[in-house]
């Protein structure tokens, strides 16, 4: 069963990619969608048996590497955490595949696109089923490769190529830290298999490692290095700059990257490494700080964006911050619960925005939309469901998962958790504001589109709408139906040993049940406040945004220009690297190596050849004179030598 779940998408990708001329567009779509439907169904079966049945499976596929002390197999570790991720990845990917049939209907490269999607899914499945660090890193890098191919799918667009390269390079920064963490783990434990490493961690408490001319706590160093990898994949503050630019890819790519695959890999990594992170309070505090800072940072930027997909992209970045500060306060179940619910409503929002863009003849600027709720009512309804789930409206998925994270941060009662609680509540206010802003600008008021665009506004095909209906069910009900087993009374039985808590003091989910009433109400209150502010600014007094940006233009420009992080990186890293590269190229490569190496030798030979060429006049008497001079010289040398 597990082989079919994992390798089915890979086989479909190979068939669609290599035999697309024989299969045709429909054949490639049928193969890839069929494989994902099968994987999704089997994943739910695994979830029922593993998650609800309390089983754990370990399946060895083959011996992979045996070299000296390094030995491990290609194997699947399937516990509750893996089962949840299988459901998330395959369910969302399945719906995205089906949606792509309608969305990419007019694209000439449909088989290539479907093959890339399936390969992306396979890489993520390899990551979440790994039972050792090398197999996990294989899937980790496979996801990075697939994201590069998908973000740059429209490779004739310079902006798409630039975005793909940016995503690839920024993630290499994080992956470098991740690789150092794996090397350190093998150095101190002699193994890369999870079970062996986790068993060795308690014995490493108090040990130090000499790193970067400093003596550092060993476990903390390992955790920070692993978390740097998670920061890159999950676009946390400092390594987040690639995520909004990933919007250059087709909308189904955005939904798959942001909802189910690449960006959730970092959250999964930290949750899987809970037996290591639990022994380093410093590392947990750092994770909570970065997560909380990312949540508020990305939310401020989302308020000022006008591209409908970029607003949702920064929302993803912010929601990932929630997941990470939940991990940082040891609320691992709450983090994965939000990952689970977020997958449904964020995929719904992205695919819903794709339906809007499709209806608007590929227009993405919300300032050129408006009044769409009457023309595409089904899409409006789906976007409304996704928005209610995102802002945490009572009864919808986000209400149960995001509120639990905020309550857990308060219950943890540490300096970093208090900071996370405050930032989480403020981010909830901003999330409500920019979510309603998106709805009001897109679907309410008078249309601001051009007459030709208005004449062609239409509801999307069933290929696009049916997946939205499926995601809407998850966005509406996933929180209610799964709350008890993820973070409620069935928490311990459900997760078993998949998530590790060092001691009872780290059980913040239990402590969250005894928080004051105002803490539980705070997310709801700020959610309503965000709605009121957005309604006032964009419905009741639509001149408010213009007046605000005029009065507080420096604040607006700061948010609109993404806190100028890209410009700072351009100044600190990109421009110096370009100047250094140009210097080494012009002065080093061309000025020294080429000048005195290949080019210099070639020039000397050519000069010598020109001189010899000048001697070849073609006149016999010139050659006779040269021969005479030569004979005279030879005789002189011979006679002089004999004497």
């Amino acid at each position: 069963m597990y082989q079919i779940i994992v390798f089915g998408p890979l086989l479909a990708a190979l068939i669609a990619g290599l035999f697309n001329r024989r299969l045709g567009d429909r054949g490639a779509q049928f193969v890839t969608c069929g494989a994902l439907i099968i994987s999704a169904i089997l994943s739910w079966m695994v979830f029922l048996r593993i998650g609800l049945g309390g089983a754990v499976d370990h399946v060895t596929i083959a011996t992979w590497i045996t070299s000296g002390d390094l030995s491990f197999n290609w194997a699947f570790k399937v516990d509750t955490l893996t089962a949840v991720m299988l459901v998330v990845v395959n369910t969302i990917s399945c719906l995205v595949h089906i949606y792509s049939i309608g969305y990419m209907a007019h694209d000439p490269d449909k088989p290539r696109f479907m093959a890339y999607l399936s390969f992306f899914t396979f890489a993520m499945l390899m990551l979440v089923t790994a039972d050792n660090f090398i197999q996990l890193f294989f899937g980790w890098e496979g996801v990075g490769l697939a994201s590069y191919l998908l973000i740059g799918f429209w490779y004739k667009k310079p902006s798409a190529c630039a975005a793909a390269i940016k995503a690839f390079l920024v993630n290499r920064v994080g992956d470098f830290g991740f690789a150092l963490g794996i090397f350190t783990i093998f150095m101190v434990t002699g193994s890369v298999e999870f079970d062996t490493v986790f068993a060795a961690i308690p014995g490493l408490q108090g040990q130090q490692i000499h790193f970067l001319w400093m003596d550092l706590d060993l476990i903390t160093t390992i955790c920070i290095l692993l978390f740097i990898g998670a920061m890159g994949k999950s676009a946390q503050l400092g390594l987040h700059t690639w995520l909004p630019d990933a919007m250059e890819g087709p909308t189904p790519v955005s939904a798959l990257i942001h909802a189910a695959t690449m960006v959730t890999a970092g959250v999964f990594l930290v949750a899987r490494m809970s037996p290591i992170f639990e022994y380093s309070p410093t590392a947990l505090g750092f994770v909570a700080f970065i997560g909380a800072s990312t949540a508020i940072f990305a939310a401020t930027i989302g308020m000022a964006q006008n591209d409908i997909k970029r607003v949702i992209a920064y929302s993803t970045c912010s929601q990932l911050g929630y997941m990470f500060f939940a991990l940082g306060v040891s609320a691992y179940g709450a983090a994965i619960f939000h990952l689970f619910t977020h997958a449904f409503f964020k995929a719904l929002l992205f695919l819903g925005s794709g339906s809007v863009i499709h209806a608007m003849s590929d227009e993405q600027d919300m300032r050129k939309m408006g009044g769409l709720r009457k023309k595409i009512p089904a899409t409006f309804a789906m976007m409304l469901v996704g928005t209610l789930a995102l802002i945490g409206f009572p009864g919808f998925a986000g209400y149960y998962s995001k509120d639990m994270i905020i309550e857990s941060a308060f219950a943890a009662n540490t300096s970093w958790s208090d900071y996370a609680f405050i930032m989480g509540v403020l981010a909830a206010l901003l999330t409500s504001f920019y979510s309603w802003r998106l709805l009001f600008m897109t679907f309410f008021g008078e249309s601001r589109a051009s007459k030709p665009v208005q004449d062609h506004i239409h509801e999307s095909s069933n290929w696009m709408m049916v997946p939205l209906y499926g995601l809407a069910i998850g966005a509406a009900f996933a929180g209610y139906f799964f709350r008890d087993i993820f973070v409620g009374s069935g928490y311990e039985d459900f997760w078993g040993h998949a998530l590790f808590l060092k001691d009872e003091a780290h059980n913040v989910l239990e402590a969250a049940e005894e928080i004051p009433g105002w803490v539980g109400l705070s997310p709801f209150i700020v959610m309503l406040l965000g709605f009121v502010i957005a309604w006032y600014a964009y419905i009741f007094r639509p001149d408010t945004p213009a007046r605000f940006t005029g009065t507080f233009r420096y604040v607006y420009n700061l948010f609109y220009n993404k806190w100028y992080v890209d410009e700072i990186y351009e100044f600190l890293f990109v421009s110096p690297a370009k100047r250094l590269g140009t210097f080494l190229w012009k002065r080093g490569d061309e000025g020294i190596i080429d000048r005195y190496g290949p080019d210099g030798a070639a020039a000397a030979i050519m000069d010598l050849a020109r001189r010899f060429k000048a001697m070849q006049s073609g006149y016999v008497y010139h050659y006779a004179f040269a021969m005479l001079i030569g004979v005279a010289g030879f005789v002189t040398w011979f006679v002089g030598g004999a004497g």
Side-chain angles (χ1 to χ4, degrees), residues 101-154:
I101 295 176
Y103 190 85
M104 303 295 288
H106 302 294
D107 194 277
D109 296 315
K110 289 185 280 293
R112 179 167 63 91
F113 182 75
M114 301 303 289
Y116 287 171
L117 281 183
S118 293
F119 175 72
F120 199 175
T121 306
F122 160 73
M124 189 65 187
L125 293 173
M126 286 302 308
L127 190 157
V128 301
T129 57
D131 86 324
N132 60 77
F133 284 96
I134 306 303
Q135 187 175 329
L136 188 150
F137 195 71
F138 170 80
W140 192 270
E141 293 303 301
V143 169
L145 170 61
S147 68
Y148 171 80
L149 296 173
L150 285 168
I151 295 170
F153 177 76
W154 288 322

Side-chain angles (χ1 to χ4, degrees), residues 170-358:
V170 172
N171 273 276
R172 296 290 71 71
V173 176
D175 293 353
F176 180 67
F178 187 22
L180 289 178
I182 295 174
F183 296 154
T184 306
I185 286 171
F186 179 70
M187 180 182 72
V188 298
T189 66
S191 177
V192 292
E193 294 181 335
F194 292 156
D195 293 341
T196 304
V197 171
F198 295 161
I201 290 298
L204 300 177
Q205 289 186 87
Q207 293 190 24
Q208 291 188 325
I209 184 173
H210 191 70
F211 181 70
L212 295 179
W213 307 281
M214 296 178 289
D215 290 321
L216 304 173
D217 182 77
L218 175 60
I219 296 179
T220 299
T221 303
I222 291 172
C223 290
I224 297 299
L225 290 173
L226 294 177
F227 181 60
I228 290 173
M231 287 176 64
K233 275 290 182 290
S234 295
Q236 292 301 282
L237 184 62
L239 296 178
H240 69 282
T241 54
W242 68 269
L243 191 63
D245 289 359
M247 298 301 99
E248 289 293 338
T251 298
V253 175
S254 304
L256 195 57
I257 289 178
H258 288 243
T261 54
M262 187 166 174
V263 297
T264 61
V267 179
F268 168 81
L269 173 66
V270 177
R272 175 61 82 198
M273 298 299 116
S274 59
I276 303 178
F277 277 83
E278 281 292 289
Y279 287 93
S280 175
T282 302
L284 287 175
F286 182 67
V287 172
F289 171 74
I290 293 296
S293 301
T294 303
I296 190 67
F297 170 80
T300 60
I301 300 174
M303 293 193 303
Q305 301 306 302
N306 297 310
D307 185 309
I308 187 172
K309 287 173 63 177
R310 284 184 179 269
V311 174
I312 304 174
Y314 279 107
S315 171
T316 298
C317 194
S318 180
Q319 296 303 306
L320 288 166
Y322 275 98
M323 298 176 207
F324 275 107
F325 79 68
L327 295 169
V329 300
S330 296
Y332 301 103
I336 301 302
F337 185 34
H338 195 51
L339 184 155
F340 181 78
T341 60
H342 176 265
F344 289 101
F345 61 73
K346 189 52 60 69
L348 178 61
L349 287 171
F350 265 115
L351 297 186
S353 70
S355 182
V356 172
I357 295 167
H358 185 73

